[in-house]
Amino acid sequence: TMHDPGLAPEGEHIITFTSLMPYDIGEDWGTAKPRITEQMIDWVEELMPGYREAITFVESATPLAFERHTGAQQGAIYGWENDPAQTVPKRLGYQTPIDGLWLAGHWTHPGTGSVRCLLSGVQTAAAIVDQPNALDLIQELSAGD
């Protein structure tokens, strides 16, 4: 909403916060989800008093939702495990041995997170159109022919 105020009513904002959770928590996600959502809001409230009373709508997702919507095994929202063995130089590249098959996303270079996932798509598109500088491609696409 800082970039697109039309996403929420005037004077309100969309706030997203994420916490990594295991797929198997030893109980049913259907019963755990409301409790964990409240716990997360409590943590934010500790840091930002008044946060809870300003909330007009809450939606939360579990690893089951990410698995269902993305097909990622056990709802892995960041692809491979985010540890030194899975960092940038060890991620999958854009090009594959199969002609015409290209890869983009958090499972590939440059890695985890929304911005890196977006950058992966831009860099893959730049490689497909043989434009060595992804920033040039972004500027070209932004020009809006």
Side-chain angles (χ1 to χ4, degrees):
T1 50
M2 297 300 288
H3 297 286
D4 184 353
L7 294 174
E10 188 172 334
E12 294 188 19
H13 292 282
I14 295 173
I15 298 174
T16 303
F17 58 94
T18 304
S19 177
L20 299 178
M21 301 293 290
Y23 184 79
D24 183 3
I25 58 171
E27 62 180 299
D28 178 65
W29 271 108
T31 55
K33 179 180 167 179
R35 178 178 44 78
I36 293 171
T37 299
E38 289 301 312
Q39 183 180 26
M40 291 180 72
I41 293 170
D42 288 343
W43 291 336
V44 175
E45 179 71 25
E46 286 180 28
L47 298 170
M48 299 168 50
Y51 177 82
R52 179 180 292 282
E53 68 186 41
I55 295 173
T56 57
F57 177 79
V58 173
E59 181 59 56
S60 58
T62 69
L64 296 177
F66 287 106
E67 181 179 55
R68 182 175 62 252
H69 293 295
T70 68
Q73 183 181 16
Q74 296 188 343
I77 63 172
Y78 292 128
W80 310 115
E81 185 174 357
N82 205 9
D83 69 15
Q86 299 293 339
T87 57
V88 177
K90 297 175 181 152
R91 294 251 167 183
L92 295 170
Y94 309 122
Q95 221 167 357
T96 70
I98 301 169
D99 189 40
L101 177 63
W102 296 79
L103 303 176
H106 60 242
W107 297 93
T108 65
H109 179 82
T112 63
S114 301
V115 173
R116 288 188 184 108
C117 189
L118 176 65
L119 183 59
S120 173
V122 169
Q123 289 176 334
T124 301
I128 290 170
V129 297
D130 198 27
Q131 186 143 3
N133 186 345
L135 293 177
D136 290 342
L137 178 63
I138 293 171
Q139 290 173 344
E140 186 177 311
L141 293 172
S142 298
D145 286 334

